[in-house]
Amino acid sequence: MYRILSIRNFRTIGRKGEIPVFRMNNLAGGKVILNDLKYIDRSKVPNLSKLLLRKGDILFNRTNSFDLVGKVGIYDSDFEATFASYLIRLKAKTSVVKPEYRNLFLNTKKGQTAIRKYRTLGVSQSNINPENLKKIYVPIVSLENQSGIIQKTEQLFQSLKKSKELGFKALIIQTHLINQIFTP
């Protein structure tokens, strides 16, 4: 269903490099987020072209604390970027499963439970063996149904975002009104 690839044995060079390197702090809410990026020089990574992310690639956090190992996010950008060695890239076989659908499932409670079943304890870090990822069952429905699920989920996320924004605006108005009432 997918291939596992990773970048190994390199040092990031702060903001002086050319290629952004995503790390575990860049996985949030099922997405690869573009904050606090580190960079690496193109010349420091042999076979860099094989390690560049493509839109739809899923990054999986294979090493972290017991509670955070297994975080998953989808890369939804078009610019050149790569990822740290403690992350694993999952590439979906798109004739069977859409990357967005797989990402949604892996971020559900059921998906996270399946992932964390394979975590092993270390001294201060937990790990998940990349080979165990192949054992995680993702319920497959038709590509058409996957598209529908993706679309409905995106609509729900957009509605939730709007609701939060309206709630925040209402709180600002409420605070302003209370201040007007109690200010002489």
Side-chain angles (χ1 to χ4, degrees):
M1 291 278 207
Y2 54 84
R3 292 179 296 145
I4 298 172
L5 300 170
S6 183
I7 188 169
R8 301 193 190 288
N9 301 323
F10 73 93
R11 279 190 0 231
T12 55
I13 316 223
R15 297 193 71 74
K16 295 180 182 177
E18 307 159 296
I19 306 292
V21 178
F22 290 108
R23 300 167 297 142
M24 55 185 118
N25 66 309
N26 297 111
L27 301 180
K31 298 188 182 293
V32 176
I33 56 173
L34 311 176
N35 67 344
D36 192 27
L37 295 173
K38 299 290 183 186
Y39 294 80
I40 190 164
D41 287 330
R42 182 179 299 280
S43 62
K44 301 283 183 192
V45 183
N47 300 318
L48 177 64
S49 62
K50 293 180 181 178
L51 298 169
L52 292 175
L53 291 168
R54 305 280 184 262
K55 197 173 206 171
D57 285 351
I58 297 171
L59 291 181
F60 173 85
N61 186 3
R62 70 179 176 95
T63 302
N64 206 326
S65 68
F66 192 72
D67 293 331
L68 296 176
V69 71
K71 283 177 66 174
V72 180
I74 192 164
Y75 183 68
D76 195 26
S77 299
D78 289 319
F79 65 87
E80 284 189 329
T82 190
F83 50 99
S85 63
Y86 43 78
L87 298 178
I88 297 170
R89 172 175 44 192
L90 305 176
K91 293 183 104 21
K93 186 175 181 182
T94 55
S95 62
V96 177
V97 63
K98 292 181 173 286
E100 298 85 358
Y101 176 81
R102 172 167 288 195
N103 183 59
L104 284 173
F105 174 76
L106 292 175
N107 278 286
T108 66
K109 185 175 182 177
K110 188 174 185 175
Q112 284 293 298
T113 298
I115 288 169
R116 291 184 173 156
K117 181 171 87 174
Y118 295 106
R119 64 186 164 186
T120 57
L121 291 174
V123 174
S124 63
Q125 298 281 301
S126 291
N127 289 291
I128 296 177
N129 182 324
E131 288 302 310
N132 285 331
L133 288 177
K134 296 176 182 178
K135 298 175 186 174
I136 296 171
Y137 171 76
V138 176
I140 301 296
V141 296
S142 72
L143 291 174
E144 183 179 330
N145 285 343
Q146 289 178 42
S147 293
I149 291 167
I150 294 163
Q151 182 180 13
K152 292 287 185 194
T153 304
E154 187 56 38
Q155 288 171 351
L156 288 171
F157 285 143
Q158 289 302 320
S159 294
L160 181 61
K161 182 179 175 185
K162 284 182 184 179
S163 177
K164 285 181 180 179
E165 289 170 359
L166 290 173
F168 182 70
K169 288 178 183 177
L171 182 62
I172 290 172
I173 292 169
Q174 178 187 17
T175 303
H176 180 70
L177 290 173
I178 289 171
N179 286 336
Q180 280 187 341
I181 291 169
F182 291 107
T183 302

PDB file of all heavy atoms in Angstrom, residues 39-66:
ATOM      1  N   TYR A  39      16.758  24.431   8.031  1.00  0.00           N
ATOM      2  CA  TYR A  39      17.125  24.297   6.625  1.00  0.00           C
ATOM      3  C   TYR A  39      18.418  23.522   6.487  1.00  0.00           C
ATOM      4  O   TYR A  39      19.220  23.450   7.416  1.00  0.00           O
ATOM      5  CB  TYR A  39      17.283  25.685   5.977  1.00  0.00           C
ATOM      6  CG  TYR A  39      15.985  26.433   5.900  1.00  0.00           C
ATOM      7  CD1 TYR A  39      15.481  27.097   7.024  1.00  0.00           C
ATOM      8  CD2 TYR A  39      15.254  26.461   4.733  1.00  0.00           C
ATOM      9  CE1 TYR A  39      14.277  27.768   6.958  1.00  0.00           C
ATOM     10  CE2 TYR A  39      14.051  27.139   4.665  1.00  0.00           C
ATOM     11  CZ  TYR A  39      13.568  27.785   5.786  1.00  0.00           C
ATOM     12  OH  TYR A  39      12.373  28.446   5.723  1.00  0.00           O
ATOM     13  N   ILE A  40      18.623  22.972   5.319  1.00  0.00           N
ATOM     14  CA  ILE A  40      19.841  22.229   5.017  1.00  0.00           C
ATOM     15  C   ILE A  40      20.309  22.617   3.618  1.00  0.00           C
ATOM     16  O   ILE A  40      19.506  22.960   2.752  1.00  0.00           O
ATOM     17  CB  ILE A  40      19.616  20.709   5.128  1.00  0.00           C
ATOM     18  CG1 ILE A  40      20.940  19.971   5.053  1.00  0.00           C
ATOM     19  CG2 ILE A  40      18.633  20.223   4.091  1.00  0.00           C
ATOM     20  CD1 ILE A  40      20.864  18.541   5.533  1.00  0.00           C
ATOM     21  N   ASP A  41      21.624  22.580   3.420  1.00  0.00           N
ATOM     22  CA  ASP A  41      22.177  22.829   2.087  1.00  0.00           C
ATOM     23  C   ASP A  41      21.930  21.621   1.205  1.00  0.00           C
ATOM     24  O   ASP A  41      22.109  20.475   1.636  1.00  0.00           O
ATOM     25  CB  ASP A  41      23.684  23.093   2.169  1.00  0.00           C
ATOM     26  CG  ASP A  41      24.002  24.457   2.742  1.00  0.00           C
ATOM     27  OD1 ASP A  41      23.186  25.383   2.564  1.00  0.00           O
ATOM     28  OD2 ASP A  41      25.046  24.594   3.393  1.00  0.00           O
ATOM     29  N   ARG A  42      21.545  21.883   0.000  1.00  0.00           N
ATOM     30  CA  ARG A  42      21.279  20.834  -0.994  1.00  0.00           C
ATOM     31  C   ARG A  42      22.470  19.886  -1.124  1.00  0.00           C
ATOM     32  O   ARG A  42      22.309  18.681  -1.226  1.00  0.00           O
ATOM     33  CB  ARG A  42      20.972  21.518  -2.326  1.00  0.00           C
ATOM     34  CG  ARG A  42      20.629  20.627  -3.459  1.00  0.00           C
ATOM     35  CD  ARG A  42      20.330  21.439  -4.718  1.00  0.00           C
ATOM     36  NE  ARG A  42      19.212  22.331  -4.567  1.00  0.00           N
ATOM     37  CZ  ARG A  42      17.937  21.962  -4.648  1.00  0.00           C
ATOM     38  NH1 ARG A  42      17.641  20.719  -4.904  1.00  0.00           N
ATOM     39  NH2 ARG A  42      16.970  22.833  -4.491  1.00  0.00           N
ATOM     40  N   SER A  43      23.659  20.422  -1.060  1.00  0.00           N
ATOM     41  CA  SER A  43      24.866  19.608  -1.270  1.00  0.00           C
ATOM     42  C   SER A  43      25.152  18.643  -0.113  1.00  0.00           C
ATOM     43  O   SER A  43      25.935  17.718  -0.266  1.00  0.00           O
ATOM     44  CB  SER A  43      26.070  20.524  -1.476  1.00  0.00           C
ATOM     45  OG  SER A  43      26.285  21.311  -0.321  1.00  0.00           O
ATOM     46  N   LYS A  44      24.531  18.839   1.035  1.00  0.00           N
ATOM     47  CA  LYS A  44      24.794  18.002   2.213  1.00  0.00           C
ATOM     48  C   LYS A  44      24.030  16.675   2.202  1.00  0.00           C
ATOM     49  O   LYS A  44      24.279  15.825   3.035  1.00  0.00           O
ATOM     50  CB  LYS A  44      24.424  18.755   3.497  1.00  0.00           C
ATOM     51  CG  LYS A  44      25.169  20.044   3.691  1.00  0.00           C
ATOM     52  CD  LYS A  44      26.559  19.806   4.156  1.00  0.00           C
ATOM     53  CE  LYS A  44      27.237  21.147   4.413  1.00  0.00           C
ATOM     54  NZ  LYS A  44      28.645  21.029   4.605  1.00  0.00           N
ATOM     55  N   VAL A  45      23.066  16.522   1.275  1.00  0.00           N
ATOM     56  CA  VAL A  45      22.226  15.327   1.280  1.00  0.00           C
ATOM     57  C   VAL A  45      22.372  14.583  -0.036  1.00  0.00           C
ATOM     58  O   VAL A  45      21.861  15.022  -1.063  1.00  0.00           O
ATOM     59  CB  VAL A  45      20.739  15.680   1.504  1.00  0.00           C
ATOM     60  CG1 VAL A  45      19.897  14.418   1.586  1.00  0.00           C
ATOM     61  CG2 VAL A  45      20.573  16.526   2.750  1.00  0.00           C
ATOM     62  N   PRO A  46      23.079  13.443  -0.021  1.00  0.00           N
ATOM     63  CA  PRO A  46      23.173  12.651  -1.248  1.00  0.00           C
ATOM     64  C   PRO A  46      21.792  12.119  -1.622  1.00  0.00           C
ATOM     65  O   PRO A  46      20.980  11.816  -0.760  1.00  0.00           O
ATOM     66  CB  PRO A  46      24.116  11.494  -0.878  1.00  0.00           C
ATOM     67  CG  PRO A  46      24.452  11.654   0.563  1.00  0.00           C
ATOM     68  CD  PRO A  46      23.770  12.857   1.097  1.00  0.00           C
ATOM     69  N   ASN A  47      21.506  12.058  -2.880  1.00  0.00           N
ATOM     70  CA  ASN A  47      20.215  11.559  -3.384  1.00  0.00           C
ATOM     71  C   ASN A  47      19.030  12.345  -2.839  1.00  0.00           C
ATOM     72  O   ASN A  47      17.970  11.784  -2.556  1.00  0.00           O
ATOM     73  CB  ASN A  47      20.041  10.071  -3.072  1.00  0.00           C
ATOM     74  CG  ASN A  47      21.129   9.239  -3.693  1.00  0.00           C
ATOM     75  OD1 ASN A  47      21.515   9.458  -4.840  1.00  0.00           O
ATOM     76  ND2 ASN A  47      21.643   8.288  -2.922  1.00  0.00           N
ATOM     77  N   LEU A  48      19.209  13.651  -2.697  1.00  0.00           N
ATOM     78  CA  LEU A  48      18.156  14.499  -2.143  1.00  0.00           C
ATOM     79  C   LEU A  48      16.855  14.374  -2.936  1.00  0.00           C
ATOM     80  O   LEU A  48      15.772  14.382  -2.355  1.00  0.00           O
ATOM     81  CB  LEU A  48      18.603  15.964  -2.111  1.00  0.00           C
ATOM     82  CG  LEU A  48      17.562  16.967  -1.619  1.00  0.00           C
ATOM     83  CD1 LEU A  48      17.208  16.691  -0.161  1.00  0.00           C
ATOM     84  CD2 LEU A  48      18.060  18.383  -1.802  1.00  0.00           C
ATOM     85  N   SER A  49      16.944  14.224  -4.240  1.00  0.00           N
ATOM     86  CA  SER A  49      15.732  14.163  -5.058  1.00  0.00           C
ATOM     87  C   SER A  49      14.788  13.047  -4.606  1.00  0.00           C
ATOM     88  O   SER A  49      13.571  13.176  -4.695  1.00  0.00           O
ATOM     89  CB  SER A  49      16.081  14.008  -6.534  1.00  0.00           C
ATOM     90  OG  SER A  49      16.768  12.792  -6.739  1.00  0.00           O
ATOM     91  N   LYS A  50      15.340  11.960  -4.071  1.00  0.00           N
ATOM     92  CA  LYS A  50      14.515  10.851  -3.589  1.00  0.00           C
ATOM     93  C   LYS A  50      13.850  11.178  -2.255  1.00  0.00           C
ATOM     94  O   LYS A  50      12.914  10.501  -1.846  1.00  0.00           O
ATOM     95  CB  LYS A  50      15.350   9.584  -3.421  1.00  0.00           C
ATOM     96  CG  LYS A  50      15.857   9.017  -4.727  1.00  0.00           C
ATOM     97  CD  LYS A  50      16.680   7.773  -4.482  1.00  0.00           C
ATOM     98  CE  LYS A  50      17.216   7.218  -5.792  1.00  0.00           C
ATOM     99  NZ  LYS A  50      18.061   6.050  -5.583  1.00  0.00           N
ATOM    100  N   LEU A  51      14.352  12.197  -1.572  1.00  0.00           N
ATOM    101  CA  LEU A  51      13.866  12.527  -0.238  1.00  0.00           C
ATOM    102  C   LEU A  51      13.028  13.797  -0.196  1.00  0.00           C
ATOM    103  O   LEU A  51      12.608  14.221   0.875  1.00  0.00           O
ATOM    104  CB  LEU A  51      15.050  12.657   0.717  1.00  0.00           C
ATOM    105  CG  LEU A  51      15.858  11.366   0.865  1.00  0.00           C
ATOM    106  CD1 LEU A  51      17.155  11.636   1.597  1.00  0.00           C
ATOM    107  CD2 LEU A  51      15.049  10.301   1.569  1.00  0.00           C
ATOM    108  N   LEU A  52      12.796  14.402  -1.367  1.00  0.00           N
ATOM    109  CA  LEU A  52      11.958  15.593  -1.407  1.00  0.00           C
ATOM    110  C   LEU A  52      10.493  15.185  -1.281  1.00  0.00           C
ATOM    111  O   LEU A  52      10.055  14.190  -1.865  1.00  0.00           O
ATOM    112  CB  LEU A  52      12.180  16.364  -2.710  1.00  0.00           C
ATOM    113  CG  LEU A  52      13.540  17.021  -2.860  1.00  0.00           C
ATOM    114  CD1 LEU A  52      13.679  17.648  -4.243  1.00  0.00           C
ATOM    115  CD2 LEU A  52      13.776  18.075  -1.773  1.00  0.00           C
ATOM    116  N   LEU A  53       9.766  15.959  -0.509  1.00  0.00           N
ATOM    117  CA  LEU A  53       8.351  15.682  -0.302  1.00  0.00           C
ATOM    118  C   LEU A  53       7.540  16.080  -1.524  1.00  0.00           C
ATOM    119  O   LEU A  53       7.885  17.017  -2.236  1.00  0.00           O
ATOM    120  CB  LEU A  53       7.840  16.450   0.921  1.00  0.00           C
ATOM    121  CG  LEU A  53       8.373  15.967   2.261  1.00  0.00           C
ATOM    122  CD1 LEU A  53       8.050  16.969   3.361  1.00  0.00           C
ATOM    123  CD2 LEU A  53       7.808  14.604   2.595  1.00  0.00           C
ATOM    124  N   ARG A  54       6.470  15.366  -1.733  1.00  0.00           N
ATOM    125  CA  ARG A  54       5.511  15.664  -2.795  1.00  0.00           C
ATOM    126  C   ARG A  54       4.158  15.890  -2.132  1.00  0.00           C
ATOM    127  O   ARG A  54       3.854  15.314  -1.079  1.00  0.00           O
ATOM    128  CB  ARG A  54       5.387  14.498  -3.778  1.00  0.00           C
ATOM    129  CG  ARG A  54       6.683  14.040  -4.402  1.00  0.00           C
ATOM    130  CD  ARG A  54       7.111  14.942  -5.558  1.00  0.00           C
ATOM    131  NE  ARG A  54       8.307  14.434  -6.209  1.00  0.00           N
ATOM    132  CZ  ARG A  54       9.536  14.860  -5.961  1.00  0.00           C
ATOM    133  NH1 ARG A  54       9.737  15.786  -5.074  1.00  0.00           N
ATOM    134  NH2 ARG A  54      10.571  14.362  -6.594  1.00  0.00           N
ATOM    135  N   LYS A  55       3.355  16.717  -2.754  1.00  0.00           N
ATOM    136  CA  LYS A  55       2.005  16.956  -2.253  1.00  0.00           C
ATOM    137  C   LYS A  55       1.299  15.614  -2.077  1.00  0.00           C
ATOM    138  O   LYS A  55       1.324  14.775  -2.969  1.00  0.00           O
ATOM    139  CB  LYS A  55       1.246  17.831  -3.243  1.00  0.00           C
ATOM    140  CG  LYS A  55       0.024  18.466  -2.687  1.00  0.00           C
ATOM    141  CD  LYS A  55      -0.555  19.439  -3.694  1.00  0.00           C
ATOM    142  CE  LYS A  55      -1.331  20.486  -2.939  1.00  0.00           C
ATOM    143  NZ  LYS A  55      -1.753  21.570  -3.804  1.00  0.00           N
ATOM    144  N   GLY A  56       0.721  15.393  -0.900  1.00  0.00           N
ATOM    145  CA  GLY A  56       0.039  14.137  -0.611  1.00  0.00           C
ATOM    146  C   GLY A  56       0.871  13.154   0.189  1.00  0.00           C
ATOM    147  O   GLY A  56       0.350  12.148   0.674  1.00  0.00           O
ATOM    148  N   ASP A  57       2.172  13.425   0.350  1.00  0.00           N
ATOM    149  CA  ASP A  57       2.991  12.557   1.200  1.00  0.00           C
ATOM    150  C   ASP A  57       2.533  12.722   2.653  1.00  0.00           C
ATOM    151  O   ASP A  57       2.167  13.810   3.084  1.00  0.00           O
ATOM    152  CB  ASP A  57       4.477  12.922   1.111  1.00  0.00           C
ATOM    153  CG  ASP A  57       5.131  12.471  -0.189  1.00  0.00           C
ATOM    154  OD1 ASP A  57       4.494  11.732  -0.961  1.00  0.00           O
ATOM    155  OD2 ASP A  57       6.289  12.869  -0.421  1.00  0.00           O
ATOM    156  N   ILE A  58       2.569  11.622   3.385  1.00  0.00           N
ATOM    157  CA  ILE A  58       2.184  11.644   4.794  1.00  0.00           C
ATOM    158  C   ILE A  58       3.447  11.442   5.622  1.00  0.00           C
ATOM    159  O   ILE A  58       4.220  10.524   5.372  1.00  0.00           O
ATOM    160  CB  ILE A  58       1.153  10.533   5.088  1.00  0.00           C
ATOM    161  CG1 ILE A  58      -0.131  10.785   4.292  1.00  0.00           C
ATOM    162  CG2 ILE A  58       0.866  10.442   6.580  1.00  0.00           C
ATOM    163  CD1 ILE A  58      -1.115   9.643   4.340  1.00  0.00           C
ATOM    164  N   LEU A  59       3.655  12.325   6.593  1.00  0.00           N
ATOM    165  CA  LEU A  59       4.782  12.179   7.510  1.00  0.00           C
ATOM    166  C   LEU A  59       4.285  11.582   8.814  1.00  0.00           C
ATOM    167  O   LEU A  59       3.245  11.973   9.350  1.00  0.00           O
ATOM    168  CB  LEU A  59       5.461  13.524   7.767  1.00  0.00           C
ATOM    169  CG  LEU A  59       6.209  14.120   6.581  1.00  0.00           C
ATOM    170  CD1 LEU A  59       6.849  15.447   6.971  1.00  0.00           C
ATOM    171  CD2 LEU A  59       7.254  13.157   6.046  1.00  0.00           C
ATOM    172  N   PHE A  60       5.062  10.636   9.307  1.00  0.00           N
ATOM    173  CA  PHE A  60       4.720   9.859  10.499  1.00  0.00           C
ATOM    174  C   PHE A  60       5.858   9.994  11.502  1.00  0.00           C
ATOM    175  O   PHE A  60       7.019   9.772  11.169  1.00  0.00           O
ATOM    176  CB  PHE A  60       4.535   8.395  10.080  1.00  0.00           C
ATOM    177  CG  PHE A  60       4.355   7.455  11.222  1.00  0.00           C
ATOM    178  CD1 PHE A  60       3.106   7.262  11.771  1.00  0.00           C
ATOM    179  CD2 PHE A  60       5.437   6.769  11.755  1.00  0.00           C
ATOM    180  CE1 PHE A  60       2.934   6.392  12.833  1.00  0.00           C
ATOM    181  CE2 PHE A  60       5.272   5.904  12.818  1.00  0.00           C
ATOM    182  CZ  PHE A  60       4.018   5.717  13.355  1.00  0.00           C
ATOM    183  N   ASN A  61       5.530  10.365  12.730  1.00  0.00           N
ATOM    184  CA  ASN A  61       6.519  10.559  13.784  1.00  0.00           C
ATOM    185  C   ASN A  61       6.805   9.225  14.466  1.00  0.00           C
ATOM    186  O   ASN A  61       6.031   8.759  15.273  1.00  0.00           O
ATOM    187  CB  ASN A  61       5.967  11.575  14.783  1.00  0.00           C
ATOM    188  CG  ASN A  61       6.954  11.952  15.834  1.00  0.00           C
ATOM    189  OD1 ASN A  61       8.092  11.516  15.823  1.00  0.00           O
ATOM    190  ND2 ASN A  61       6.515  12.767  16.758  1.00  0.00           N
ATOM    191  N   ARG A  62       7.933   8.606  14.111  1.00  0.00           N
ATOM    192  CA  ARG A  62       8.231   7.263  14.619  1.00  0.00           C
ATOM    193  C   ARG A  62       8.970   7.270  15.952  1.00  0.00           C
ATOM    194  O   ARG A  62       9.062   6.247  16.618  1.00  0.00           O
ATOM    195  CB  ARG A  62       9.030   6.461  13.598  1.00  0.00           C
ATOM    196  CG  ARG A  62      10.444   6.933  13.391  1.00  0.00           C
ATOM    197  CD  ARG A  62      11.160   6.052  12.371  1.00  0.00           C
ATOM    198  NE  ARG A  62      12.482   6.535  12.097  1.00  0.00           N
ATOM    199  CZ  ARG A  62      13.571   6.103  12.709  1.00  0.00           C
ATOM    200  NH1 ARG A  62      13.493   5.173  13.618  1.00  0.00           N
ATOM    201  NH2 ARG A  62      14.743   6.600  12.400  1.00  0.00           N
ATOM    202  N   THR A  63       9.521   8.412  16.368  1.00  0.00           N
ATOM    203  CA  THR A  63      10.258   8.513  17.624  1.00  0.00           C
ATOM    204  C   THR A  63       9.829   9.769  18.355  1.00  0.00           C
ATOM    205  O   THR A  63       9.881  10.860  17.795  1.00  0.00           O
ATOM    206  CB  THR A  63      11.777   8.584  17.362  1.00  0.00           C
ATOM    207  OG1 THR A  63      12.177   7.426  16.637  1.00  0.00           O
ATOM    208  CG2 THR A  63      12.557   8.666  18.648  1.00  0.00           C
ATOM    209  N   ASN A  64       9.383   9.603  19.605  1.00  0.00           N
ATOM    210  CA  ASN A  64       8.987  10.748  20.415  1.00  0.00           C
ATOM    211  C   ASN A  64       8.669  10.238  21.813  1.00  0.00           C
ATOM    212  O   ASN A  64       8.920   9.080  22.120  1.00  0.00           O
ATOM    213  CB  ASN A  64       7.774  11.456  19.800  1.00  0.00           C
ATOM    214  CG  ASN A  64       7.712  12.926  20.180  1.00  0.00           C
ATOM    215  OD1 ASN A  64       8.094  13.310  21.268  1.00  0.00           O
ATOM    216  ND2 ASN A  64       7.239  13.743  19.254  1.00  0.00           N
ATOM    217  N   SER A  65       8.065  11.084  22.629  1.00  0.00           N
ATOM    218  CA  SER A  65       7.621  10.634  23.952  1.00  0.00           C
ATOM    219  C   SER A  65       6.515   9.602  23.767  1.00  0.00           C
ATOM    220  O   SER A  65       5.927   9.483  22.690  1.00  0.00           O
ATOM    221  CB  SER A  65       7.092  11.823  24.758  1.00  0.00           C
ATOM    222  OG  SER A  65       5.889  12.296  24.181  1.00  0.00           O
ATOM    223  N   PHE A  66       6.212   8.876  24.827  1.00  0.00           N
ATOM    224  CA  PHE A  66       5.207   7.820  24.758  1.00  0.00           C
ATOM    225  C   PHE A  66       3.866   8.367  24.270  1.00  0.00           C
ATOM    226  O   PHE A  66       3.150   7.706  23.532  1.00  0.00           O
ATOM    227  CB  PHE A  66       5.059   7.161  26.138  1.00  0.00           C
ATOM    228  CG  PHE A  66       4.261   5.888  26.117  1.00  0.00           C
ATOM    229  CD1 PHE A  66       4.793   4.732  25.565  1.00  0.00           C
ATOM    230  CD2 PHE A  66       2.983   5.848  26.645  1.00  0.00           C
ATOM    231  CE1 PHE A  66       4.062   3.544  25.543  1.00  0.00           C
ATOM    232  CE2 PHE A  66       2.242   4.668  26.630  1.00  0.00           C
ATOM    233  CZ  PHE A  66       2.788   3.519  26.078  1.00  0.00           C
TER     234      PHE A  66
END
